[in-house]
Amino acid sequence: MQAHIQKKKRNSPAPKYIFITGGVMSGLGKGVTSASLAKLLMLAGFTVICAKIDPYLNVDAGTMNPVTHGEVFVTDDGGEMDMDLGTYERFLDKGLSQEHNITTGQIYSAVIKAERKGKYLGDCVQIIPHITDEIIKRIRNLHESVRPDIVLVELGGTVGDIEGLPFLEAFRQIKFEDGDNQSLFVHVTLIPQIGDVGEQKTKPTQHSVQELRRIGIQPDIIIARSETEVTESVKKKISLFTNVDWRNVISNPDVESIYNVPEVLGNQGIVQRVTQILELRKSTIRWGSWPTISSSFVNATKELRIGMVGKYVSLADSYVSVNHALAHASAYLGYRIKLELLDAEKFESEPKLLDTLSNYNGIVVPGGFGLRAAEGIIRVANHARIKRIPFLGLCFGFQLAVISFARNVCGLREANSTELDAAVKHPVVDLMPDQKGIDKLGATMNLGGHNINIVEKTFAYSMYGKKKIRQRHRHRYEINSNYWDILRSKGLILSGFSEDGKKVEIIELDNHAFYLATQYHPEFLSRPGKPEPSFLAFVKSSISNAGSRDA
Ligand code: GLN
């Protein structure tokens, strides 16, 4: 064991770590809280790297069902990540990459692979030290390449989960190895409010902190999520039971927009608390344009009704980046979005429902996989085309819009995607050539950022204002080039292509308020205060659509 400890001694100065854990229950907004803290530290002039740990056994989020786990967020380097990584990118306006999402699956695969190679020859391979060493190595690597002031690591799940234990143990070891004032623990917990008066109860927090302390972690800061502001007397009670200075108990009440959270935390002096504990230089937050951006989400009074027609509508988080991209664009234009999730499958069994689409100022069809509900989406895409309702199709939405055009405008009644009908007569959407023969599902799609050439004099060109853009992808199928000519001859404008010219990336129609669809996922690039151009253009035309109808 002694040799093991010595092996880990480091020559370079140890970085400052912030470890964020969650207590009581999931769904408290730990991701938003962590991203807000990172944002504040950046506004205070520190360089920060963020990582999210997901203690599940999947290697990445790519094979998980969005309805149970939420959207799969795609990074530029092709990582299929937990949706919290999207929260970090949106708050920090910084691209992340695969190493910023660590899972149990990755850790165990690496250790087992090394064991088979004989790396631990003679050893009995164990959770401590082998698994914890691998975790520590990955956390330390985050720092080695970039050398930021602070590395902020958020652990998914809740303290007490079996899967989380090796990670907590690794955090404890890092703090022990690095010594005082090098690591800081933040515990995000729930203060439930019950009864008519909404009494704030601290017991669940007491238990959650006890659990942390049992495994050797004493939190330095507690962020208390609650409906209303946590009172001073409740903070003092939490302090008494948890051994945390009451001024380090930070209230994080419900707010109208998640983009208000940095101000809520910042105004309670969280940055001063962090810099004091970690002995970082004194620093003040330079808010810049952030308050203007965050207030645009709250101050918008005019309402815009958007219908999102998808397969995974039972969980709003399935499309979380699309939801945010729409909100960014509308807040930017002074509007508040009223987004309704519409189950695409219903448009198959109840064709009359199509008429209700005119109640929306615009229709979005997001990504998806597989046959269920596809016919419903094809009908919706056709209806939006005929009725001139602003329409934005994303990935699956793009492919199905092209199929609807092929069937209804080009007369190819039997057009389809080979994803939905392997023996189709007109495979207008077909498997990409480089996908043929792939039998593994994990991380094998066309993933991540690719450059796109935009055709001049198209709507897409006026929207982006340039000939080259870079966008993120996650798909196996594409528009079959054998059908480009017939689609074009009937008026479909192919306005963006992959750099090699072999894949259609954007389609659009003229003589329509707005009918545009993309093979890529523009939603991953939208930021508060910096909406992605296709969402901005879609929301703009939805606003004019609303105006023309009201008139
Ligand atoms: N299922 C389609 C494909 O694989 C679309 C994927 C998506 O919408 N992300 O190409």
Side-chain angles (χ1 to χ4, degrees):
M1 194 45 112
Q2 193 54 40
H4 160 71
I5 289 172
Q6 272 175 4
K7 181 188 73 195
K8 283 196 280 191
K9 282 239 178 305
R10 300 154 47 79
N11 300 327
S12 52
K16 306 284 185 182
Y17 287 107
I18 298 180
F19 297 110
I20 304 191
T21 56
V24 183
M25 63 178 214
S26 60
L28 293 182
K30 180 153 47 78
V32 168
T33 306
S34 309
S36 300
L37 178 55
K39 176 89 197 170
L40 287 169
L41 292 164
M42 281 171 67
L43 291 174
F46 297 103
T47 48
V48 186
I49 283 220
C50 296
K52 166 87 195 288
I53 292 178
D54 284 300
Y56 43 66
L57 278 150
N58 304 57
V59 171
D60 60 37
T63 53
M64 274 189 273
N65 187 338
V67 170
T68 45
H69 198 79
E71 161 193 280
V72 175
F73 185 79
V74 181
T75 48
D76 189 77
D77 70 343
E80 295 178 284
M81 324 271 265
D82 183 85
M83 62 174 197
D84 274 338
L85 276 290
T87 310
Y88 285 112
E89 282 211 1
R90 284 186 281 275
F91 270 81
L92 309 181
D93 192 15
K94 247 174 82 168
L96 296 171
S97 52
Q98 298 191 23
E99 77 244 30
H100 298 116
N101 195 190
I102 301 171
T103 68
T104 298
Q106 293 166 16
I107 301 290
Y108 275 77
S109 313
V111 170
I112 293 170
K113 204 168 149 201
E115 186 276 332
R116 291 288 79 189
K117 275 195 171 163
K119 179 178 166 199
Y120 314 110
L121 215 53
D123 276 0
C124 167
V125 181
Q126 295 182 297
I127 293 189
I128 305 173
H130 302 98
I131 293 293
T132 43
D133 276 1
E134 180 66 27
I135 296 170
I136 292 169
K137 186 179 97 192
R138 283 174 190 238
I139 292 174
R140 297 236 188 253
N141 277 352
L142 290 166
H143 172 258
E144 296 303 335
S145 54
V146 187
R147 310 223 143 256
D149 298 318
I150 300 163
V151 176
L152 182 147
V153 182
E154 176 199 347
L155 177 64
T158 307
V159 167
D161 296 347
I162 291 177
E163 289 93 339
L165 278 172
F167 295 101
L168 290 170
E169 170 60 16
F171 298 170
R172 188 195 65 74
Q173 287 184 24
I174 290 179
K175 170 150 187 165
F176 183 66
E177 279 172 24
D178 291 1
D180 289 343
N181 310 107
Q182 291 297 116
S183 300
L184 178 152
F185 283 91
V186 177
H187 192 53
V188 182
T189 179
L190 173 72
I191 303 294
Q193 292 186 235
I194 56 171
D196 293 343
V197 282
E199 191 192 347
Q200 298 185 322
K201 307 299 276 182
T202 63
K203 191 69 86 185
T205 298
Q206 295 176 32
H207 283 301
S208 171
V209 173
Q210 273 170 20
E211 184 63 22
L212 261 180
R213 291 169 66 188
R214 196 177 65 75
I215 49 186
I217 293 173
Q218 165 64 50
D220 301 287
I221 291 178
I222 290 183
I223 299 186
R225 285 281 297 113
S226 56
E227 275 171 47
T228 58
E229 208 150 306
V230 176
T231 61
E232 192 174 308
S233 70
V234 170
K235 286 183 178 180
K236 287 186 169 156
K237 190 166 176 194
I238 294 172
S239 165
L240 182 66
F241 283 90
T242 59
N243 212 22
V244 173
D245 183 331
W246 77 272
R247 284 157 307 181
N248 290 357
V249 179
I250 309 283
S251 165
N252 189 7
D254 292 349
V255 281
E256 215 180 319
S257 159
I258 57 167
Y259 299 115
N260 297 135
V261 176
E263 282 146 291
V264 169
L265 303 181
N267 293 339
Q268 290 174 73
I270 195 167
V271 169
Q272 287 89 314
R273 314 305 301 171
V274 169
T275 50
Q276 225 170 53
I277 298 167
L278 288 178
E279 291 184 337
L280 286 158
R281 63 179 182 274
K282 270 206 186 114
S283 193
T284 46
I285 303 169
R286 293 190 198 283
W287 288 104
S289 58
W290 186 259
T292 316
I293 293 172
S294 69
S295 58
S296 69
F297 290 88
V298 181
N299 295 341
T301 47
K302 292 170 279 186
E303 203 176 80
L304 197 64
R305 242 185 126 189
I306 301 294
M308 176 138 76
V309 184
K311 303 182 54 153
Y312 315 122
V313 289
S314 56
L315 184 77
D317 276 349
S318 308
Y319 306 118
V320 65
S321 292
V322 181
N323 303 350
H324 281 291
L326 289 167
H328 298 159
S330 21
Y332 188 83
L333 297 167
Y335 279 74
R336 186 178 285 257
I337 206 117
K338 188 162 182 285
L339 183 66
E340 286 179 41
L341 297 177
L342 309 172
D343 183 355
E345 217 172 347
K346 295 223 168 93
F347 293 91
E348 293 175 0
S349 50
E350 299 168 54
K352 271 202 154 23
L353 263 187
L354 286 172
D355 296 331
T356 63
L357 292 177
S358 324
N359 299 335
Y360 300 97
N361 307 122
I363 304 290
V364 181
V365 176
F369 296 83
L371 187 59
R372 183 182 65 77
E375 287 299 322
I377 295 175
I378 293 172
R379 284 181 194 180
V380 167
N382 194 44
H383 189 84
R385 182 180 56 80
I386 296 168
K387 299 288 175 188
R388 298 182 193 283
I389 306 169
F391 173 92
L392 179 64
L394 310 170
C395 204
F396 202 42
F398 159 91
Q399 295 170 358
L400 297 177
V402 173
I403 292 168
S404 116
F405 189 86
R407 286 188 192 173
N408 298 292
V409 183
C410 305
L412 304 171
R413 299 300 310 170
E414 289 166 69
N416 212 336
S417 164
T418 48
E419 178 183 8
L420 313 173
D421 177 359
V424 64
K425 185 168 168 204
H426 290 296
V428 170
V429 176
D430 197 9
L431 200 61
M432 287 181 281
D434 52 5
Q435 286 286 319
K436 294 188 179 151
I438 290 181
D439 58 353
K440 287 204 189 105
L441 288 186
T444 53
M445 283 188 244
N446 175 29
L447 291 168
H450 300 301
N451 294 340
I452 291 167
N453 291 327
I454 308 217
V455 179
E456 279 177 82
K457 298 196 188 121
T458 59
F459 184 78
Y461 183 75
S462 67
M463 199 168 79
Y464 283 108
K466 51 184 168 191
K467 282 199 275 189
K468 253 191 206 316
I469 56 168
R470 186 175 174 83
Q471 293 276 350
R472 300 185 191 172
H473 299 72
R474 183 169 185 253
H475 65 118
R476 291 185 202 282
Y477 294 82
E478 64 176 348
I479 309 303
N480 183 341
S481 56
N482 294 337
Y483 291 89
W484 291 4
D485 284 348
I486 175 152
L487 292 165
R488 274 181 170 135
S489 70
K490 296 292 177 182
L492 191 73
I493 300 164
L494 314 183
S495 49
F497 291 88
S498 57
E499 222 166 28
D500 62 6
K502 289 186 180 159
K503 288 185 195 51
V504 182
E505 292 275 9
I506 312 175
I507 56 124
E508 61 188 53
L509 289 176
D510 50 15
N511 296 323
H512 194 288
F514 182 96
Y515 199 97
L516 185 130
T518 63
Q519 179 62 80
Y520 56 85
H521 290 270
E523 66 271 24
F524 295 138
L525 293 188
S526 183
R527 308 283 177 254
K530 263 202 246 171
E532 200 283 336
S534 61
F535 279 90
L536 187 63
F538 166 71
V539 169
K540 259 187 198 160
S541 76
S542 302
I543 292 170
S544 351
N545 180 36
S548 63
R549 274 214 319 247
D550 292 347

